[in-house]
Amino acid sequence: MGEKKYLKWYNMVGYGTGDIAGNVVYALLSSFVMIYLTNTVGLNAGIVGTLIAVSKLFDGITDIFFGSMIDKTKSKMGKARPWMFWGFFGCAITLFGVFAIPVNMGQTAQYAWFFIAYTLLNAVFYTANNIAYSALTALVTKNSKERVQMGSFRFMFAFGTSLLIQTITVGAVDLLGGGAAGWRAVAIIYCIVGVITNTLAVLSVKELPEEELNEVSADDEKKDDKLTLIQSAKLLFTNKYYVMICFVYILQQLYGAMINIGIYFMTYVLLNKNLFGVFSWAINIPLIIALIFTPTLVAKWKGMYKLNKYSYMVATVGRLLVVVAGYMGSVPLMLLFTAIAALGQGPWQGDMNAVIASCSEYTYLKTGKRIDGTMYSCTSLGVKIGGGLGTALAGWMLDLSGFINGDTAIQPDSCISMMYFMYLWLPFILDLIITIILSLMNVEGANRKLKENK
């Protein structure tokens, strides 16, 4: 007898649209915030990097805090959906704030404006929205196949949105007046799209009753409700698989930040900023193709562990070949090997939320405590710390290499060399480390053993 089914196809599609909203924030911020700040507002890349790094100090605390709050929430909408719904309105306001820095302000005020808007966006509103959204994977179904399918739908929308934003944003800014006014107009449009799709996602699914979800007695439920923030954090960090997932998530976002340096690489090395959109196609289309087949591959491989490990080996080899093609100066080969690397990264993107659900089950099997919302803090934690530090690192490295702020066509040789290292070598190194960690992350096998020993 197969697992009970909880969702229809339209529930999964509706849920997936939530990552249109998430990537309106993430793709715009990660791909364009640095070049907007340096080339339009005229801020120093190194100072911006430092402000982003300081902002990240708030993020680790708020991730676990909001995860714990989700676990304690009781409402007609459930635990996670209220946080997801209301959190995005704050995301929209602060995202617009990041891309609406007045150009006639003094630079000190501009830095302060950016820091406040960026910190509120990441440490508060995006945290609440993203952790809640990710936690829904474990709260609306107990069916492992449906969880994988939810992840696949989610990230198909995510990569499709990233592809669209990375392809059209530069042209849209120019079309809407260019400069600061163009960035403000684009940000408003993206924020409206995000509010609409986030609301659709919230209304597309319904959380399971706690008694069905937990399968524990009323007394046990009361015990779970009394977990303090410190107790929840202890449960997280004594789960080795949670720690592994956090590291992988952070490394993935660092990887993404280096890939987004492509906007500089295309502008100053390949001398064609429009190639950034072309490379976005080479990344996102293979990812979407891989996501389509991920549920079938998980079923065929009878789990996620081997699929994730071997597919990421392919991704690592692909990125190494991108390095070779980059030094050869062959754009067609760079595109080909970029696509191969992205294809190898796809399965992990599709089943990642299901792996986190298995990670949450591992804690439950070992301790009898259900902390799904807190467990999914690794998603927001990874996005914000990895993505934020990646953007900060990019700013520092550009500044150290002698990057010239403003809209200039030429950069010094030291800066060009740094762009080669950041865009070609660092993604390969990060993929290699992720592959090693995934080879150790057999949480499904650990759960089977715990169940057998009961």
Side-chain angles (χ1 to χ4, degrees):
M1 185 176 177
E3 292 182 273
K4 178 181 175 181
K5 294 184 178 180
Y6 295 85
L7 303 173
K8 303 291 185 182
W9 67 268
Y10 50 82
N11 299 124
M12 298 183 196
V13 173
Y15 170 80
T17 61
D19 241 332
I20 296 177
N23 276 273
V24 160
V25 176
Y26 179 73
L28 182 61
L29 205 61
S30 62
S31 297
F32 298 108
V33 71
M34 186 61 77
I35 202 162
Y36 159 73
L37 293 171
T38 58
N39 289 24
T40 299
V41 184
L43 301 183
N44 177 273
I47 296 175
V48 170
T50 300
L51 291 176
I52 290 174
V54 172
S55 176
K56 295 301 107 183
L57 296 175
F58 298 97
D59 284 351
I61 299 171
T62 59
D63 280 299
I64 297 174
F65 170 76
F66 280 113
S68 179
M69 290 299 293
I70 289 168
D71 286 328
K72 295 176 185 296
T73 297
K74 293 180 182 291
S75 74
K76 291 182 180 179
M77 291 180 70
K79 290 177 175 289
R81 292 199 304 156
W83 294 95
M84 180 181 171
F85 179 71
W86 293 110
F88 197 84
F89 288 96
C91 287
I93 293 168
T94 50
L95 180 66
F96 173 72
V98 168
F99 286 90
I101 300 173
V103 292
N104 56 353
M105 292 178 87
Q107 275 209 336
T108 300
Q110 288 175 328
Y111 285 122
W113 179 298
F114 166 72
F115 179 77
I116 293 169
Y118 183 87
T119 301
L120 286 173
L121 172 58
N122 283 278
V124 181
F125 300 115
Y126 187 81
T127 299
N129 173 266
N130 189 257
I131 293 178
Y133 180 49
S134 298
L136 283 176
T137 306
L139 295 173
V140 302
T141 178
K142 294 169 64 180
N143 185 303
S144 58
K145 292 180 181 178
E146 288 181 342
R147 287 172 174 173
V148 173
Q149 290 171 329
M150 288 176 71
S152 292
F153 276 112
R154 171 185 179 176
F155 284 103
M156 278 190 276
F157 280 107
F159 297 129
T161 304
S162 292
L163 172 60
L164 185 63
I165 287 177
Q166 290 166 354
T167 301
I168 70 171
T169 297
V170 172
V173 169
D174 291 338
L175 184 65
L176 294 170
W183 283 108
R184 283 197 302 271
V186 166
I188 289 173
I189 293 169
Y190 289 170
C191 289
I192 293 171
V193 170
V195 168
I196 293 170
T197 52
N198 183 75
T199 302
L200 176 62
V202 169
L203 298 177
S204 294
V205 292
K206 185 178 180 180
E207 295 179 33
L208 296 175
E210 285 191 55
E211 58 270 18
E212 181 176 2
L213 184 68
N214 296 333
E215 293 182 346
V216 297
S217 68
D219 288 339
D220 287 332
E221 286 182 18
K222 290 177 182 177
K223 290 177 185 176
D224 286 349
D225 287 343
K226 293 180 181 178
L227 286 174
T228 65
L229 183 62
I230 293 174
Q231 289 172 325
S232 296
K234 185 177 180 181
L235 285 173
L236 285 182
F237 290 103
T238 54
N239 183 332
K240 62 182 179 181
Y241 298 108
Y242 172 83
V243 176
M244 289 182 193
I245 292 172
C246 275
F247 273 115
V248 169
Y249 230 113
I250 290 169
L251 291 170
Q252 278 183 297
Q253 302 308 314
L254 285 169
Y255 173 96
M258 294 304 109
I259 292 298
N260 288 326
I261 285 299
I263 188 67
Y264 289 96
F265 192 84
M266 309 308 161
T267 301
Y268 298 110
V269 178
L270 300 181
L271 304 178
N272 183 355
K273 66 181 181 180
N274 292 320
L275 280 174
F276 184 69
V278 178
F279 273 86
S280 296
W281 281 79
I283 294 169
N284 289 291
I285 294 300
L287 281 169
I288 292 170
I289 291 170
L291 289 170
I292 292 171
F293 292 102
T294 294
T296 302
L297 291 172
V298 169
K300 186 174 182 178
W301 287 57
K302 298 180 180 179
M304 299 172 281
Y305 168 63
K306 289 183 180 179
L307 175 62
N308 292 334
K309 178 174 70 172
Y310 292 122
S311 64
Y312 238 93
M313 288 180 181
V314 172
T316 303
V317 173
R319 284 312 306 183
L320 180 59
L321 293 174
V322 173
V323 175
V324 175
Y327 280 98
M328 289 172 57
S330 173
V331 172
L333 284 178
M334 286 181 70
L335 288 167
L336 172 63
F337 297 135
T338 294
I340 292 172
L343 198 64
Q345 293 166 342
W348 166 250
Q349 299 290 344
D351 65 31
M352 179 169 48
N353 271 10
V355 173
I356 299 171
S358 294
C359 187
S360 184
E361 184 182 11
Y362 178 79
T363 290
Y364 179 68
L365 289 170
K366 290 201 74 173
T367 68
K369 303 295 183 183
R370 178 71 70 178
I371 53 168
D372 296 304
T374 314
M375 188 64 66
Y376 276 88
S377 65
C378 62
T379 59
S380 178
L381 187 71
V383 167
K384 294 186 304 170
I385 291 183
L389 288 181
T391 305
L393 185 63
W396 291 330
M397 294 174 81
L398 286 172
D399 191 44
L400 279 173
S401 68
F403 179 80
I404 302 171
N405 298 322
D407 191 12
T408 179
I410 300 174
Q411 295 293 341
D413 290 342
S414 58
C415 187
I416 299 299
S417 297
M418 181 65 80
M419 289 177 190
Y420 270 97
F421 176 70
M422 294 166 72
Y423 185 68
L424 298 180
W425 281 106
L426 278 180
F428 160 67
I429 294 168
L430 291 166
D431 264 359
L432 179 61
I433 298 171
I434 290 172
T435 301
I436 294 169
I437 297 174
L438 289 179
S439 70
L440 303 172
M441 199 189 296
N442 191 4
V443 63
E444 296 165 286
N447 286 347
R448 281 194 295 271
K449 288 181 181 178
L450 287 172
K451 290 175 181 177
E452 288 169 2
N453 292 334
K454 277 199 168 186

